[in-house]
Amino acid sequence: MQSAVGTAVVLWQGAPEAVGREHHVEWTVDEDIVWTENARQSTDGTPELREDGDRIVFRGRLSLDEDGGAALDVGGSVILFVGLIRFDGHRRSGAWAPEG
C-alpha cells in the first residue's frame, strides 16, 4: 500500500479486481501500546509510515484524552486507540511518537 507518508506491504483481503485502486483503510492493532516499550517520543517531526521487520511503524503527533484513549495524527490521517495505551506514568500528549 502507498500513502502520502510512506509505503508498506500488507495483506489485501478485498476483491482481486480492486487491487491497485484507491481505498480508505482501517488499521487493526494486535497489541497494547506501551510508552517507552513500543512507543516513544521522536525527535523527527515528520509523519511516516514504514515497515520494520514484521511490524508497521507509524510516526505522528500523539494526543491523549482523559479516558485513557489516544489519537495518532499521521500526516492528517487519525488513528484512534481506545483502551490499548499504557503510559506507566509517562503521559506525552502532543509528542511526536513512532508506534510499531
Coordinates of all heavy atoms in Angstrom, one line a residue:
M1 N 0.8 -1.2 0.0 CA 0.0 0.0 0.0 C 0.9 1.2 0.0 O 2.0 1.2 0.5 CB -1.0 0.0 1.2 CG -0.4 -0.1 2.5 SD -0.5 1.2 3.7 CE -1.1 2.6 3.0
Q2 N 0.4 2.3 -0.6 CA 1.1 3.5 -0.7 C 0.2 4.6 0.0 O -1.0 4.6 -0.1 CB 1.4 3.9 -2.1 CG 2.2 3.0 -2.8 CD 2.4 3.4 -4.3 OE1 1.6 4.1 -4.8 NE2 3.4 2.8 -4.9
S3 N 0.9 5.6 0.6 CA 0.2 6.7 1.2 C 1.1 7.9 1.0 O 2.3 7.8 0.6 CB -0.1 6.5 2.7 OG 1.1 6.6 3.5
A4 N 0.6 9.1 1.4 CA 1.4 10.3 1.3 C 2.6 10.3 2.2 O 3.5 11.1 2.0 CB 0.5 11.5 1.6
V5 N 2.6 9.5 3.3 CA 3.7 9.5 4.3 C 4.5 8.2 4.2 O 5.4 8.1 5.0 CB 3.1 9.7 5.7 CG1 2.5 11.1 5.8 CG2 2.2 8.6 6.1
G6 N 4.3 7.3 3.3 CA 5.1 6.1 3.2 C 4.4 4.9 2.6 O 3.2 5.0 2.1
T7 N 5.1 3.8 2.5 CA 4.6 2.6 1.9 C 4.8 1.4 2.8 O 5.7 1.4 3.7 CB 5.2 2.3 0.5 OG1 6.6 2.1 0.7 CG2 5.0 3.4 -0.4
A8 N 4.0 0.4 2.6 CA 4.2 -0.9 3.4 C 3.5 -2.0 2.6 O 2.6 -1.8 1.8 CB 3.6 -0.8 4.8
V9 N 4.1 -3.2 2.7 CA 3.5 -4.4 2.2 C 2.4 -4.9 3.2 O 2.8 -5.2 4.3 CB 4.5 -5.5 1.8 CG1 3.9 -6.7 1.3 CG2 5.5 -4.9 0.8
V10 N 1.2 -5.1 2.7 CA 0.1 -5.5 3.6 C -0.7 -6.6 2.9 O -0.6 -6.8 1.6 CB -0.8 -4.4 4.0 CG1 -0.1 -3.3 4.8 CG2 -1.5 -3.8 2.7
L11 N -1.5 -7.4 3.6 CA -2.3 -8.4 3.1 C -3.6 -7.8 2.6 O -4.3 -7.2 3.3 CB -2.6 -9.5 4.1 CG -3.6 -10.6 3.7 CD1 -3.0 -11.4 2.6 CD2 -3.9 -11.5 4.9
W12 N -3.9 -8.0 1.3 CA -5.2 -7.5 0.7 C -6.2 -8.5 0.9 O -6.1 -9.7 0.5 CB -5.0 -7.2 -0.8 CG -6.2 -6.8 -1.5 CD1 -7.0 -7.5 -2.3 CD2 -7.0 -5.6 -1.3 NE1 -8.1 -6.9 -2.7 CE2 -8.1 -5.7 -2.1 CE3 -6.8 -4.4 -0.6 CZ2 -9.1 -4.6 -2.2 CZ3 -7.7 -3.4 -0.6 CH2 -8.8 -3.5 -1.5
Q13 N -7.4 -8.2 1.4 CA -8.5 -9.1 1.7 C -9.7 -8.7 0.9 O -10.8 -9.2 1.2 CB -8.8 -9.2 3.2 CG -7.6 -9.8 3.9 CD -7.9 -10.0 5.4 OE1 -8.8 -9.3 6.0 NE2 -7.2 -10.8 6.0
G14 N -9.6 -7.9 -0.1 CA -10.7 -7.4 -0.9 C -10.8 -8.2 -2.2 O -10.0 -9.2 -2.5
A15 N -11.6 -7.8 -3.1 CA -11.8 -8.4 -4.4 C -10.6 -8.2 -5.3 O -10.0 -7.1 -5.3 CB -13.0 -7.8 -5.1
P16 N -10.2 -9.2 -6.0 CA -9.0 -9.1 -6.8 C -9.0 -8.0 -7.8 O -8.0 -7.3 -8.1 CB -8.9 -10.5 -7.6 CG -9.7 -11.4 -6.7 CD -10.7 -10.6 -6.1
E17 N -10.2 -7.7 -8.4 CA -10.3 -6.6 -9.4 C -10.1 -5.2 -8.7 O -9.9 -4.2 -9.4 CB -11.6 -6.6 -10.1 CG -12.8 -6.5 -9.3 CD -13.3 -7.8 -8.8 OE1 -12.7 -8.9 -8.9 OE2 -14.4 -7.8 -8.2
A18 N -10.1 -5.1 -7.4 CA -9.9 -3.8 -6.7 C -8.5 -3.5 -6.4 O -8.2 -2.4 -5.9 CB -10.8 -3.8 -5.4
V19 N -7.6 -4.4 -6.6 CA -6.1 -4.2 -6.4 C -5.7 -3.1 -7.3 O -6.0 -2.9 -8.4 CB -5.3 -5.5 -6.7 CG1 -3.8 -5.2 -6.6 CG2 -5.7 -6.6 -5.7
G20 N -4.9 -2.2 -6.7 CA -4.3 -1.1 -7.4 C -5.2 0.2 -7.5 O -4.8 1.2 -8.0
R21 N -6.3 0.1 -6.9 CA -7.2 1.3 -6.8 C -7.0 2.0 -5.5 O -6.5 1.5 -4.5 CB -8.7 0.9 -7.0 CG -9.0 0.2 -8.3 CD -10.4 -0.1 -8.4 NE -10.7 -0.7 -9.7 CZ -11.8 -1.4 -9.9 NH1 -12.7 -1.5 -9.0 NH2 -11.9 -2.0 -11.1
E22 N -7.6 3.2 -5.4 CA -7.5 4.0 -4.1 C -8.6 3.5 -3.2 O -9.7 3.3 -3.5 CB -7.7 5.4 -4.4 CG -7.6 6.3 -3.1 CD -7.6 7.8 -3.4 OE1 -7.0 8.2 -4.4 OE2 -8.3 8.5 -2.6
H23 N -8.2 3.2 -1.9 CA -9.1 2.8 -0.9 C -8.8 3.5 0.4 O -7.7 3.9 0.7 CB -8.9 1.3 -0.6 CG -9.2 0.4 -1.8 ND1 -10.4 0.1 -2.2 CD2 -8.3 -0.1 -2.7 CE1 -10.3 -0.7 -3.3 NE2 -9.0 -0.8 -3.6
H24 N -9.8 3.7 1.2 CA -9.7 4.2 2.6 C -9.5 2.9 3.5 O -10.3 2.0 3.3 CB -10.9 5.0 3.1 CG -11.0 6.3 2.3 ND1 -10.3 7.4 2.6 CD2 -11.6 6.6 1.2 CE1 -10.5 8.3 1.8 NE2 -11.3 7.9 0.9
V25 N -8.5 2.9 4.3 CA -8.3 1.6 5.1 C -8.4 1.9 6.6 O -8.3 3.1 7.0 CB -6.9 1.1 4.8 CG1 -6.8 0.7 3.3 CG2 -5.8 2.0 5.2
E26 N -8.7 0.9 7.4 CA -8.6 0.9 8.8 C -7.6 0.0 9.3 O -7.4 -1.1 8.7 CB -10.0 0.5 9.4 CG -11.1 1.5 9.1 CD -12.4 1.1 9.8 OE1 -12.4 0.2 10.6 OE2 -13.4 1.7 9.4
W27 N -6.8 0.4 10.3 CA -5.7 -0.5 10.8 C -6.2 -1.2 12.1 O -6.9 -0.6 12.9 CB -4.5 0.4 11.2 CG -3.9 1.0 9.9 CD1 -4.1 2.3 9.5 CD2 -2.9 0.4 9.1 NE1 -3.3 2.5 8.3 CE2 -2.6 1.4 8.1 CE3 -2.3 -0.8 9.1 CZ2 -1.7 1.1 7.1 CZ3 -1.4 -1.1 8.0 CH2 -1.1 -0.1 7.1
T28 N -5.8 -2.4 12.2 CA -6.1 -3.1 13.5 C -4.8 -3.3 14.2 O -3.8 -3.8 13.6 CB -6.7 -4.5 13.1 OG1 -7.9 -4.4 12.4 CG2 -6.9 -5.3 14.4
V29 N -4.7 -2.9 15.5 CA -3.5 -3.1 16.3 C -3.7 -4.3 17.2 O -4.7 -4.4 17.9 CB -3.3 -1.8 17.2 CG1 -2.1 -1.9 18.0 CG2 -3.2 -0.6 16.2
D30 N -2.8 -5.2 17.1 CA -2.9 -6.5 17.8 C -2.3 -6.6 19.1 O -2.3 -7.6 19.8 CB -2.3 -7.6 16.9 CG -3.0 -7.9 15.6 OD1 -4.3 -7.7 15.6 OD2 -2.4 -8.2 14.6
E31 N -1.7 -5.5 19.6 CA -1.1 -5.5 20.9 C -1.3 -4.1 21.6 O -1.5 -3.1 20.9 CB 0.4 -5.8 20.8 CG 1.2 -4.8 20.0 CD 2.7 -5.2 19.8 OE1 2.9 -6.2 19.1 OE2 3.5 -4.6 20.4
D32 N -1.1 -4.1 22.9 CA -1.2 -2.9 23.6 C 0.0 -2.0 23.2 O 1.0 -2.5 22.9 CB -1.1 -3.1 25.2 CG -2.4 -3.7 25.7 OD1 -3.4 -3.9 25.0 OD2 -2.4 -4.1 26.9
I33 N -0.3 -0.7 23.3 CA 0.8 0.3 23.0 C 1.3 0.7 24.4 O 0.6 1.2 25.3 CB 0.2 1.5 22.3 CG1 -0.5 1.1 21.0 CG2 1.3 2.5 22.0 CD1 0.2 0.3 20.1
V34 N 2.6 0.5 24.6 CA 3.2 0.8 25.9 C 4.3 1.8 25.7 O 5.3 1.5 25.0 CB 3.8 -0.5 26.6 CG1 4.4 -0.2 28.0 CG2 2.7 -1.6 26.7
W35 N 4.1 3.0 26.3 CA 5.0 4.1 26.2 C 6.4 3.6 26.7 O 6.5 3.0 27.8 CB 4.5 5.3 27.0 CG 5.3 6.5 26.6 CD1 6.3 7.1 27.4 CD2 5.2 7.3 25.4 NE1 6.8 8.2 26.8 CE2 6.1 8.3 25.5 CE3 4.4 7.2 24.3 CZ2 6.3 9.3 24.6 CZ3 4.6 8.1 23.3 CH2 5.5 9.2 23.4
T36 N 7.5 3.9 26.0 CA 8.9 3.5 26.2 C 9.2 2.1 25.8 O 10.4 1.7 25.8 CB 9.4 3.8 27.6 OG1 8.8 2.9 28.6 CG2 9.2 5.3 28.0
E37 N 8.2 1.2 25.5 CA 8.5 -0.1 25.1 C 8.3 -0.2 23.5 O 9.2 -0.5 22.8 CB 7.6 -1.1 25.8 CG 8.0 -1.3 27.2 CD 7.2 -2.4 27.9 OE1 6.6 -3.3 27.2 OE2 7.1 -2.3 29.1
N38 N 7.1 0.0 23.1 CA 6.8 0.0 21.6 C 6.3 1.3 21.1 O 5.9 1.4 20.0 CB 5.9 -1.1 21.2 CG 4.6 -1.1 21.9 OD1 4.2 -0.1 22.6 ND2 3.7 -2.1 21.6
A39 N 6.4 2.4 21.9 CA 6.1 3.7 21.5 C 7.0 4.7 22.3 O 7.2 4.4 23.5 CB 4.6 4.1 21.8
R40 N 7.5 5.7 21.6 CA 8.3 6.6 22.3 C 8.4 8.0 21.6 O 7.9 8.0 20.5 CB 9.7 6.1 22.4 CG 10.4 5.8 21.1 CD 11.6 4.9 21.3 NE 11.8 3.9 20.3 CZ 11.0 2.9 19.9 NH1 9.8 2.8 20.4 NH2 11.4 2.0 19.0
Q41 N 8.8 9.0 22.3 CA 8.9 10.3 21.7 C 10.0 10.3 20.6 O 11.0 9.6 20.7 CB 9.3 11.3 22.7 CG 9.2 12.7 22.2 CD 9.2 13.8 23.3 OE1 9.1 13.4 24.5 NE2 9.3 15.0 23.0
S42 N 9.7 11.0 19.5 CA 10.6 11.1 18.4 C 11.2 12.5 18.2 O 10.4 13.5 18.5 CB 9.9 10.7 17.1 OG 10.7 10.9 16.0
T43 N 12.4 12.6 17.8 CA 13.0 13.9 17.6 C 12.7 14.4 16.2 O 12.9 15.5 15.8 CB 14.5 13.9 17.8 OG1 15.1 12.9 16.9 CG2 14.9 13.5 19.2
D44 N 12.2 13.5 15.3 CA 11.8 13.8 13.9 C 10.3 14.1 13.9 O 9.5 13.3 14.2 CB 12.1 12.6 13.0 CG 12.0 12.9 11.6 OD1 11.2 13.9 11.2 OD2 12.5 12.2 10.8
G45 N 10.0 15.3 13.5 CA 8.6 15.8 13.5 C 7.9 15.5 12.1 O 6.9 16.2 11.8
T46 N 8.4 14.6 11.3 CA 7.9 14.3 10.0 C 7.0 13.0 10.1 O 7.4 12.0 10.6 CB 9.0 14.0 9.0 OG1 9.9 15.1 9.0 CG2 8.4 13.8 7.6
P47 N 5.7 13.1 9.7 CA 4.9 11.9 9.7 C 5.5 10.8 8.8 O 6.1 11.1 7.8 CB 3.5 12.4 9.1 CG 3.6 13.9 9.1 CD 5.0 14.3 9.1
E48 N 5.3 9.6 9.2 CA 5.9 8.5 8.5 C 5.0 7.2 8.6 O 4.5 6.9 9.7 CB 7.3 8.2 9.0 CG 8.0 7.1 8.2 CD 9.4 6.8 8.8 OE1 9.6 6.9 10.0 OE2 10.3 6.6 7.9
L49 N 5.1 6.4 7.6 CA 4.5 5.0 7.6 C 5.6 4.2 6.9 O 6.1 4.5 5.8 CB 3.2 4.9 6.8 CG 2.8 3.5 6.3 CD1 2.3 2.7 7.5 CD2 1.8 3.6 5.3
R50 N 6.1 3.1 7.6 CA 7.1 2.2 7.0 C 7.0 0.9 7.7 O 6.4 0.7 8.7 CB 8.5 2.9 7.2 CG 8.9 3.0 8.6 CD 10.3 3.6 8.8 NE 10.6 3.9 10.1 CZ 11.1 3.1 11.0 NH1 11.3 1.8 10.7 NH2 11.4 3.5 12.3
E51 N 7.8 0.0 7.0 CA 7.9 -1.4 7.6 C 9.2 -1.5 8.4 O 10.2 -0.8 8.0 CB 8.0 -2.4 6.5 CG 6.7 -2.6 5.7 CD 6.9 -3.7 4.7 OE1 7.0 -4.9 5.0 OE2 6.9 -3.2 3.5
D52 N 9.2 -2.2 9.5 CA 10.4 -2.5 10.2 C 10.3 -4.0 10.6 O 9.7 -4.3 11.6 CB 10.5 -1.6 11.5 CG 11.8 -1.8 12.3 OD1 12.7 -2.5 11.7 OD2 11.8 -1.4 13.4
G53 N 10.9 -4.8 9.8 CA 10.8 -6.3 10.0 C 9.4 -6.7 9.8 O 8.8 -6.4 8.7
D54 N 8.7 -7.3 10.8 CA 7.4 -7.8 10.6 C 6.4 -6.8 11.2 O 5.2 -7.1 11.4 CB 7.2 -9.2 11.3 CG 7.4 -9.1 12.8 OD1 8.0 -8.1 13.3 OD2 7.0 -10.1 13.5
R55 N 6.8 -5.6 11.4 CA 5.9 -4.5 12.0 C 5.7 -3.4 11.0 O 6.5 -3.1 10.2 CB 6.5 -4.0 13.3 CG 6.5 -5.0 14.4 CD 7.2 -4.3 15.6 NE 7.2 -5.3 16.7 CZ 6.5 -5.1 17.8 NH1 5.8 -4.0 18.0 NH2 6.5 -6.0 18.8
I56 N 4.6 -2.7 11.2 CA 4.3 -1.5 10.5 C 4.5 -0.4 11.5 O 4.0 -0.4 12.7 CB 2.8 -1.4 10.0 CG1 2.5 -2.6 9.1 CG2 2.6 -0.1 9.3 CD1 3.2 -2.6 7.8
V57 N 5.3 0.6 11.2 CA 5.7 1.7 12.1 C 5.0 3.0 11.6 O 5.1 3.4 10.4 CB 7.2 1.9 12.1 CG1 7.5 3.1 13.0 CG2 7.9 0.7 12.6
F58 N 4.3 3.7 12.5 CA 3.7 5.0 12.2 C 4.4 6.0 13.0 O 4.7 5.7 14.2 CB 2.2 5.0 12.7 CG 1.3 4.0 11.9 CD1 1.0 2.8 12.4 CD2 0.8 4.4 10.7 CE1 0.2 1.9 11.8 CE2 -0.1 3.5 10.0 CZ -0.3 2.3 10.6
R59 N 4.7 7.2 12.5 CA 5.2 8.3 13.3 C 4.2 9.5 13.0 O 3.9 9.8 11.9 CB 6.6 8.7 12.8 CG 7.1 9.8 13.7 CD 8.6 10.2 13.5 NE 8.9 10.4 12.1 CZ 9.9 9.8 11.4 NH1 10.7 9.0 12.0 NH2 10.1 10.1 10.2
G60 N 3.7 10.0 14.1 CA 2.8 11.1 14.1 C 2.7 11.8 15.4 O 3.4 11.5 16.3
R61 N 1.7 12.8 15.5 CA 1.5 13.5 16.7 C 0.5 12.8 17.6 O -0.6 12.6 17.1 CB 1.1 14.9 16.4 CG 1.0 15.8 17.7 CD 1.0 17.3 17.4 NE 2.1 17.8 16.7 CZ 3.2 18.2 17.2 NH1 3.5 18.0 18.5 NH2 4.2 18.7 16.5
L62 N 0.9 12.5 18.8 CA 0.0 11.7 19.7 C -0.7 12.7 20.6 O -0.2 13.6 21.2 CB 0.9 10.8 20.6 CG 0.2 9.9 21.5 CD1 -0.7 8.9 20.8 CD2 1.2 9.2 22.4
S63 N -2.0 12.5 20.7 CA -2.9 13.2 21.6 C -3.6 12.2 22.5 O -4.1 11.2 22.1 CB -3.9 14.0 20.9 OG -3.3 14.9 20.0
L64 N -3.7 12.6 23.8 CA -4.3 11.7 24.8 C -5.6 12.3 25.3 O -5.7 13.6 25.4 CB -3.4 11.5 26.0 CG -2.0 11.1 25.7 CD1 -1.1 11.0 26.9 CD2 -2.0 9.7 25.0
D65 N -6.6 11.5 25.6 CA -7.8 12.0 26.3 C -7.8 11.6 27.7 O -7.0 10.7 28.2 CB -9.1 11.7 25.5 CG -9.4 10.2 25.5 OD1 -9.0 9.5 26.5 OD2 -10.1 9.7 24.6
E66 N -8.7 12.1 28.5 CA -8.8 11.9 29.9 C -9.3 10.5 30.2 O -9.1 10.0 31.3 CB -9.7 12.9 30.6 CG -9.1 14.3 30.5 CD -10.1 15.4 30.8 OE1 -11.3 15.1 31.1 OE2 -9.7 16.6 30.6
D67 N -9.9 9.8 29.3 CA -10.5 8.4 29.5 C -9.5 7.3 29.2 O -9.8 6.2 29.1 CB -11.7 8.2 28.7 CG -12.8 9.2 29.1 OD1 -12.9 9.5 30.3 OD2 -13.6 9.6 28.2
G68 N -8.2 7.7 28.8 CA -7.2 6.7 28.5 C -7.1 6.3 27.1 O -6.3 5.5 26.7
G69 N -7.9 7.0 26.2 CA -7.8 6.8 24.8 C -6.7 7.7 24.2 O -6.2 8.6 24.9
A70 N -6.4 7.5 23.0 CA -5.4 8.3 22.3 C -5.7 8.3 20.8 O -6.4 7.5 20.3 CB -4.0 7.7 22.5
A71 N -5.1 9.4 20.2 CA -5.2 9.5 18.7 C -3.8 9.8 18.2 O -3.1 10.7 18.8 CB -6.2 10.6 18.4
L72 N -3.5 9.2 17.1 CA -2.2 9.4 16.5 C -2.5 10.0 15.1 O -3.0 9.4 14.3 CB -1.4 8.1 16.3 CG 0.0 8.3 15.8 CD1 0.9 9.0 16.8 CD2 0.6 6.9 15.5
D73 N -2.1 11.3 15.0 CA -2.3 12.0 13.7 C -1.0 11.8 12.8 O 0.1 12.2 13.2 CB -2.5 13.5 14.0 CG -2.7 14.3 12.7 OD1 -2.2 13.9 11.6 OD2 -3.4 15.3 12.8
V74 N -1.2 11.0 11.8 CA -0.1 10.7 10.8 C -0.4 11.4 9.5 O -1.1 11.0 8.7 CB 0.0 9.2 10.6 CG1 1.2 8.8 9.7 CG2 0.1 8.4 12.0
G75 N 0.1 12.6 9.4 CA 0.0 13.4 8.2 C -1.4 13.7 7.8 O -1.8 13.8 6.7
G76 N -2.3 14.0 8.8 CA -3.7 14.4 8.6 C -4.6 13.2 8.7 O -5.8 13.4 8.7
S77 N -4.1 12.0 8.7 CA -5.0 10.8 9.0 C -4.9 10.4 10.4 O -3.8 10.4 11.0 CB -4.6 9.6 8.1 OG -4.8 9.9 6.7
V78 N -6.0 10.2 11.1 CA -6.0 10.0 12.5 C -6.3 8.5 12.8 O -7.2 7.9 12.3 CB -7.1 10.8 13.2 CG1 -7.1 10.5 14.7 CG2 -6.7 12.3 13.0
I79 N -5.4 7.9 13.6 CA -5.6 6.5 14.1 C -6.0 6.6 15.5 O -5.3 7.2 16.4 CB -4.3 5.7 14.0 CG1 -3.9 5.7 12.5 CG2 -4.5 4.3 14.5 CD1 -2.5 5.1 12.3
L80 N -7.2 6.1 15.9 CA -7.7 6.1 17.2 C -7.4 4.8 18.0 O -7.4 3.7 17.4 CB -9.3 6.2 17.2 CG -9.8 7.5 16.5 CD1 -11.3 7.4 16.5 CD2 -9.3 8.7 17.2
F81 N -7.0 5.0 19.2 CA -6.6 3.9 20.1 C -7.5 4.0 21.4 O -7.5 5.0 22.0 CB -5.2 3.9 20.6 CG -4.2 3.8 19.4 CD1 -3.7 5.0 18.8 CD2 -3.8 2.6 18.9 CE1 -2.8 4.9 17.8 CE2 -2.9 2.5 17.9 CZ -2.4 3.6 17.3
V82 N -8.3 3.0 21.6 CA -9.2 3.0 22.8 C -8.9 1.8 23.7 O -9.0 0.7 23.2 CB -10.7 2.9 22.3 CG1 -11.6 2.9 23.5 CG2 -11.0 4.1 21.4
G83 N -8.4 2.1 24.9 CA -8.1 1.1 25.8 C -6.9 0.2 25.5 O -6.7 -0.8 26.0
L84 N -6.1 0.7 24.6 CA -4.9 0.0 24.2 C -3.6 0.6 24.7 O -2.5 0.0 24.6 CB -4.7 -0.1 22.7 CG -5.8 -0.9 22.0 CD1 -5.7 -0.8 20.5 CD2 -5.7 -2.4 22.3
I85 N -3.7 1.8 25.3 CA -2.5 2.6 25.6 C -2.2 2.4 27.1 O -3.0 2.6 28.0 CB -2.7 4.1 25.3 CG1 -3.2 4.3 23.9 CG2 -1.5 4.9 25.6 CD1 -2.2 4.0 22.8
R86 N -0.9 2.1 27.4 CA -0.4 2.1 28.8 C 0.8 3.0 28.8 O 1.7 2.9 28.1 CB 0.0 0.7 29.2 CG -1.1 -0.3 29.3 CD -0.8 -1.5 30.1 NE 0.6 -1.8 30.2 CZ 1.2 -2.9 29.5 NH1 0.5 -3.6 28.8 NH2 2.5 -3.1 29.7
F87 N 0.7 4.0 29.7 CA 1.8 5.0 29.8 C 2.7 4.9 31.0 O 3.7 5.5 31.1 CB 1.2 6.4 29.7 CG 0.6 6.8 28.4 CD1 -0.7 6.6 28.2 CD2 1.5 7.2 27.4 CE1 -1.2 6.9 26.9 CE2 1.0 7.5 26.2 CZ -0.4 7.3 25.9
D88 N 2.3 4.0 31.9 CA 3.1 3.8 33.1 C 3.6 5.1 33.7 O 4.8 5.3 34.1 CB 4.3 2.9 32.8 CG 3.8 1.5 32.3 OD1 2.7 1.1 32.7 OD2 4.5 0.9 31.5
G89 N 2.7 6.1 33.8 CA 3.1 7.4 34.4 C 3.8 8.4 33.5 O 4.0 9.5 33.9
H90 N 4.0 8.0 32.2 CA 4.7 8.9 31.3 C 3.7 9.4 30.3 O 3.7 9.0 29.1 CB 5.8 8.2 30.6 CG 6.9 7.7 31.5 ND1 6.9 6.4 32.0 CD2 8.0 8.3 32.0 CE1 7.9 6.3 32.8 NE2 8.6 7.4 32.8
R91 N 2.9 10.4 30.6 CA 1.9 11.0 29.7 C 2.6 12.0 28.8 O 3.3 12.9 29.2 CB 0.8 11.6 30.4 CG 0.0 10.6 31.2 CD -1.3 11.2 31.9 NE -2.2 11.7 30.9 CZ -3.1 10.9 30.3 NH1 -3.2 9.6 30.5 NH2 -4.0 11.5 29.5
R92 N 2.5 11.8 27.5 CA 3.2 12.6 26.5 C 2.2 13.2 25.4 O 2.5 13.1 24.3 CB 4.2 11.8 25.8 CG 5.3 11.2 26.7 CD 6.2 12.2 27.1 NE 7.3 11.6 27.9 CZ 8.1 12.2 28.7 NH1 8.0 13.5 28.9 NH2 9.1 11.5 29.3
S93 N 1.1 13.7 25.8 CA 0.2 14.3 24.8 C 0.9 15.4 24.0 O 1.6 16.2 24.6 CB -1.0 14.9 25.5 OG -2.0 15.3 24.6
G94 N 0.7 15.3 22.7 CA 1.3 16.3 21.8 C 2.7 16.0 21.3 O 3.2 16.7 20.5
A95 N 3.3 14.9 21.8 CA 4.6 14.5 21.4 C 4.6 13.8 20.0 O 3.6 13.1 19.7 CB 5.2 13.5 22.4
W96 N 5.6 13.9 19.3 CA 5.8 13.1 18.1 C 6.2 11.7 18.5 O 7.2 11.6 19.2 CB 6.8 13.7 17.1 CG 6.2 14.9 16.4 CD1 6.1 16.2 16.8 CD2 5.5 14.8 15.1 NE1 5.5 16.9 15.8 CE2 5.0 16.1 14.8 CE3 5.2 13.7 14.3 CZ2 4.3 16.4 13.7 CZ3 4.5 14.0 13.1 CH2 4.0 15.3 12.8
A97 N 5.5 10.7 18.0 CA 5.8 9.4 18.5 C 5.7 8.3 17.4 O 4.7 8.3 16.7 CB 4.7 9.0 19.6
P98 N 6.8 7.5 17.2 CA 6.7 6.4 16.4 C 6.0 5.3 17.1 O 6.2 5.1 18.3 CB 8.1 6.0 16.0 CG 8.9 6.5 17.2 CD 8.1 7.7 17.8
E99 N 5.2 4.5 16.5 CA 4.5 3.4 17.1 C 4.6 2.2 16.2 O 4.4 2.3 15.0 CB 3.0 3.8 17.3 CG 2.1 2.8 17.9 CD 1.5 1.9 16.9 OE1 0.9 2.3 16.0 OE2 1.8 0.7 17.0
G100 N 5.1 1.1 16.8 CA 5.3 -0.1 16.0 C 4.4 -1.2 16.3 O 3.8 -1.3 17.3

